Amino acid sequence: MAKLLRFLSLFHFVVSILWLSSVEAQPKPSKAPAFNLIDATISDIHRAFRAGSLTSEQLVNAYLNRIRAYDQPKKLNSIIIINPEAIATARQLDAEFRRTGNLRPLHGIPVIVKDNYNTSNLQTTGGSIALKGFQPTEDAYQVRKLREAGAIVLAKSNMAEWAFTPMHTQSSIAGETLNPYNLAYVPAGSSGGTAAAVAANLGAVGLGSDTGNSIRGPSSHNALVGFRTSLGLVSRYGIIPLYSRNDVGGPMCRTVDDAVRLLEVTAGYDPHDPITQNSQGKVPKNYRQFLRKDGLKGARIGVLRQLTEKNIHPEIKQLFEQAIANLTRMGAQVVDVTIPDFDSLRANQSCAEFRTDIENYLQTFVKRDTLKTLEDIIRVGGYSAIVRDRLTYQQTHQGRARHPEIPCGDPFTDPLRIAYRKAVETAMAQQHVDALIYPSWNYPPALVGDAKGYKGDNSQLIAPATGQPAFTIPMGFTTSNLPAGLQFLGRMFDEPTLIRLTYAYEQGTHHRIPPQQFPALGQ
C-alpha cells in the first residue's frame, strides 16, 4: 500500500510539472504598446482611439505634461494660457465616442491657438497687456469650426505683440518665445508661439495668422508645414487684425495631411467676413483627395530666380538646389521663371490701416470704455521699442506712403494688387508651371536679440499683396540644427494643386525631424 501511495504521489508530481510547462508555453496576451506622442498625426491619434489604446483625456493630459515639463519653466515660453476646460471637453468627447462609435473629423484633437483668435470665455490678448483679462463671448470663426469638428482648444500661444513683427515673438503679456531646435535663436514672428509649441509636440496641431509672413516664416524656422491660403478662402472673423486687407488665418502643422484636415473644416463662405464671398464655387467637397504621393509626376515647377540668385546664405542655397534635384527625381520638370518689372510691381503695396482695423475690433468685441482707440493702447504701454515705433507710426500715417491718392483695397479691388497678381500668373501661364518655388527665408533664423540677423524674408514679397496661396514645407537643416523651408506659390484659389505638390515633396523627402532637446517624457 505504501508503494502504491508513493507511486501515485510521483505520478501527480510529474503531471503537475508537465501541465505547468504547457501553460508557460502558451503565448501570453500582448500588452498594447504605449502611444508614441512625438510627431503623432491626426490619423495616428484617431487610429489609437478606435483601437482603444488611447482616449482624448489621456492625450490632453500627455500634452499638458509636456507643457509643464518643457514650456512653463520658461524653456520655450510658447504658451500664454492653458484652457482650464480642456480635460472636461476631452471627457465629453470620449463619452460621445463610446456612445456613438463615431469620430468627428477632428475628434479629440488638442489645438494650440494663437492668442489673436477670439476664444469664448478664454483670455485673448493679441500679446498685449492692454487686453489682459479680456474674454470674448464668442469664438473666432475658425475656432468655432474646429470645435464643431471635435477639436479641443488646449492652449493659447504667445505672439509678437499685435502681430507687428515677423522678426521674433515677443509680447508684453508673456515675454519672448525661443526656437525649440536651438534656444539661442528666434522662432520668427508673429506666430512663433504656435510654431514652437507644435514643433516641440506641446499640442497636436496649431492655428496662426499671416499678414506678411507670420504663418510661413515661423513654420519654416520650426520645421513645420504652414498654409497661407488664398485671401477670401477662409474667414478672419474674430481674429485681432493687423491689416485686414492682407490678414489670413490658417494651419501650422507637422504634416501636410494634418494641415489639409484643418483647412477642410474651415474653408468657405462666412457672411461675417465679406471677402469670403469670393470663395463661393471654388471650394471642393474635400481637400484630402489631392493628397497624392505621386503628385509631382508630370508636374511643371517654376524657380523664381529673382529671389534666389542674390542675398542668400550659402547653406540655404545648397538646400534649395537639393530641393530642385529632389523635385526632378520625383518626376517634376523644373524651369526658371522671371516676372517682368518685379521690383516695381511689388513696390508701394503697403497701406497703414492699423488704426481703422484695431479700433473696429475694440468696438465690436472688447467694448471697454478705457480701451477704444489707438491712443488708449499706446497709453497702457508695456510694449517693446519695435512695437512702440510701429504704434506711433500708425498714429500719424494712413494709406500708402507714396501716391496716397491710389485707394487701398483687397486683392479683388485694389488696382496695384490686381496688376501684380496678373503679372505673376501671366508669367506662370507663359511657362506652363503649376507653382513657383523659392526658399521661405534666404537666411537661417537670427540669434535672439540680433535685429540685424533678420534678413532674407521672402514670404513678404508676393502672396500678401497678390492674395495668392503660398505653402511652406520643411526643406532641411542648416548648421546649428536650424530648420529651413521651401515655399510653393500657386494661382488664386488653386490650393488643390499646392496640396498635391507639397504632399508629394514631403512624402519623398521626410525632412521634418522633431527637436531632440524635447524628447518623450521619461526618456
Side-chain angles (χ1 to χ4, degrees):
M1 186 67 179
K3 289 182 178 180
L4 178 61
L5 290 174
R6 282 196 299 272
F7 172 77
L8 290 173
S9 177
L10 180 61
F11 175 77
H12 285 302
F13 175 75
V14 171
V15 170
S16 298
I17 293 297
L18 291 173
W19 180 79
L20 286 171
S21 298
S22 67
V23 170
E24 289 177 1
Q26 295 296 321
K28 295 180 180 179
S30 60
K31 187 178 180 181
F35 182 74
N36 182 12
L37 192 71
I38 301 303
D39 277 12
T41 66
I42 294 171
S43 292
D44 294 334
I45 292 166
H46 279 181
R47 194 177 302 115
F49 286 171
R50 291 189 177 97
S53 59
L54 181 70
T55 67
S56 181
E57 182 180 356
Q58 291 170 337
L59 182 65
V60 167
N61 276 315
Y63 282 125
L64 290 177
N65 287 339
R66 289 184 62 81
I67 290 173
R68 296 184 190 105
Y70 293 136
D71 195 78
Q72 293 188 337
K74 302 300 180 184
K75 291 180 180 178
L76 267 186
N77 199 36
S78 65
I79 301 298
I80 291 178
I81 190 170
I82 291 171
N83 180 9
E85 299 298 320
I87 293 175
T89 303
R91 288 172 181 161
Q92 292 169 4
L93 289 163
D94 286 336
E96 177 185 314
F97 179 48
R98 287 193 301 270
R99 185 177 67 254
T100 67
N102 295 321
L103 293 174
R104 297 189 236 171
L106 300 176
H107 199 104
I109 301 299
V111 183
I112 304 293
V113 178
K114 186 177 180 179
D115 200 35
N116 60 347
Y117 282 76
N118 283 1
T119 44
S120 177
N121 299 317
L122 185 63
Q123 178 179 271
T124 299
T125 71
S128 174
I129 60 171
L131 286 178
K132 185 176 182 179
F134 167 56
Q135 294 187 352
T137 57
E138 62 175 324
D139 286 330
Y141 175 86
Q142 290 193 49
V143 173
R144 176 170 63 83
K145 298 301 284 187
L146 293 188
R147 290 203 216 241
E148 288 173 356
I152 300 167
V153 174
L154 181 68
K156 303 294 289 293
S157 60
N158 197 25
M159 58 179 286
E161 190 161 354
W162 300 114
F164 261 129
T165 174
M167 294 184 284
H168 58 241
T169 293
Q170 185 180 49
S171 71
S172 60
I173 200 78
E176 186 160 7
T177 300
L178 306 178
N179 190 309
Y181 286 91
N182 190 325
L183 297 177
Y185 292 82
V186 300
S190 63
S191 307
T194 295
V198 174
N201 288 278
L202 307 187
V205 293
L207 283 178
S209 64
D210 189 315
T211 304
N213 155 89
S214 298
I215 285 174
R216 293 159 296 147
S219 292
S220 174
H221 276 7
N222 292 271
L224 296 180
V225 173
F227 284 8
R228 179 187 169 96
T229 53
S230 302
L231 256 170
L233 181 64
V234 181
S235 173
R236 294 88 46 84
Y237 179 74
I239 301 176
I240 299 174
L242 179 54
Y243 306 122
S244 62
R245 64 193 293 270
N246 282 17
D247 291 343
V248 168
M252 301 172 70
C253 300
R254 294 184 290 266
T255 67
V256 174
D257 188 304
D258 281 354
V260 167
R261 289 170 187 266
L262 267 62
L263 174 61
E264 209 161 63
V265 301
T266 55
Y269 175 62
D270 172 21
H272 286 107
D273 188 0
I275 199 173
T276 58
Q277 66 185 353
N278 294 284
S279 72
Q280 292 180 308
K282 301 180 177 73
V283 181
K285 284 187 177 181
N286 74 75
Y287 284 102
R288 277 178 290 164
Q289 64 182 299
F290 306 108
L291 295 169
R292 289 175 40 197
K293 289 186 178 182
D294 65 349
L296 282 162
K297 287 184 178 178
R300 193 171 164 90
I301 307 295
V303 178
L304 193 57
R305 295 288 181 186
Q306 287 154 298
L307 298 183
T308 63
E309 288 305 291
K310 58 183 180 179
N311 193 27
I312 185 169
H313 190 280
E315 291 188 47
I316 299 293
K317 178 73 170 176
Q318 183 179 7
L319 288 175
F320 184 63
E321 294 301 329
Q322 182 59 53
I324 292 173
N326 288 333
L327 291 167
T328 302
R329 171 178 57 81
M330 289 181 272
Q333 183 180 6
V334 182
V335 298
D336 289 350
V337 173
T338 298
I339 300 171
D341 303 316
F342 180 63
D343 290 336
S344 61
L345 283 165
R346 65 189 180 90
N348 204 30
Q349 292 285 352
S350 178
C351 290
E353 294 192 330
F354 179 70
R355 176 191 287 277
T356 300
D357 288 337
I358 196 62
E359 289 181 357
N360 180 62
Y361 176 87
L362 295 174
Q363 179 182 351
T364 303
F365 296 106
V366 181
K367 301 176 183 177
R368 287 182 185 171
D369 291 339
T370 57
L371 196 67
K372 292 182 175 181
T373 66
L374 176 57
E375 284 69 29
D376 290 334
I377 291 172
I378 294 171
R379 172 180 48 79
V380 172
Y383 34 76
S384 68
I386 291 174
V387 174
R388 179 198 63 219
D389 292 345
R390 304 286 171 90
L391 289 171
T392 54
Y393 178 88
Q394 296 294 325
Q395 270 189 301
T396 55
H397 293 77
Q398 192 170 7
R400 300 184 196 274
R402 295 187 298 109
H403 297 292
E405 72 278 5
I406 301 175
C408 295
D410 62 40
F412 306 99
T413 59
D414 187 309
L416 297 189
R417 302 178 78 169
I418 293 170
Y420 190 7
R421 182 172 66 255
K422 183 178 179 181
V424 173
E425 293 191 342
T426 296
M428 293 175 69
Q430 288 173 344
Q431 290 289 347
H432 307 287
V433 297
D434 299 300
L436 298 177
I437 59 167
Y438 43 87
S440 294
W441 295 84
N442 276 358
Y443 278 79
L447 285 162
V448 172
D450 179 16
K452 292 182 180 179
Y454 166 74
K455 51 189 175 181
D457 181 359
N458 289 326
S459 294
Q460 304 271 0
L461 302 181
I462 304 176
T466 65
Q468 293 167 259
F471 296 178
T472 188
I473 187 166
M475 185 172 68
F477 292 82
T478 62
T479 302
S480 302
N481 197 35
L482 296 170
L486 176 66
Q487 194 155 155
F488 288 72
L489 178 87
R491 293 175 175 81
M492 204 68 172
F493 295 109
D494 195 14
E495 279 75 8
T497 296
L498 291 189
I499 290 167
R500 173 171 57 84
L501 300 176
T502 56
Y503 182 72
Y505 177 79
E506 172 194 59
Q507 295 300 303
T509 57
H510 295 288
H511 282 307
R512 175 172 165 79
I513 300 170
Q516 296 177 0
Q517 55 190 323
F518 299 99
L521 293 177
Q523 289 188 359

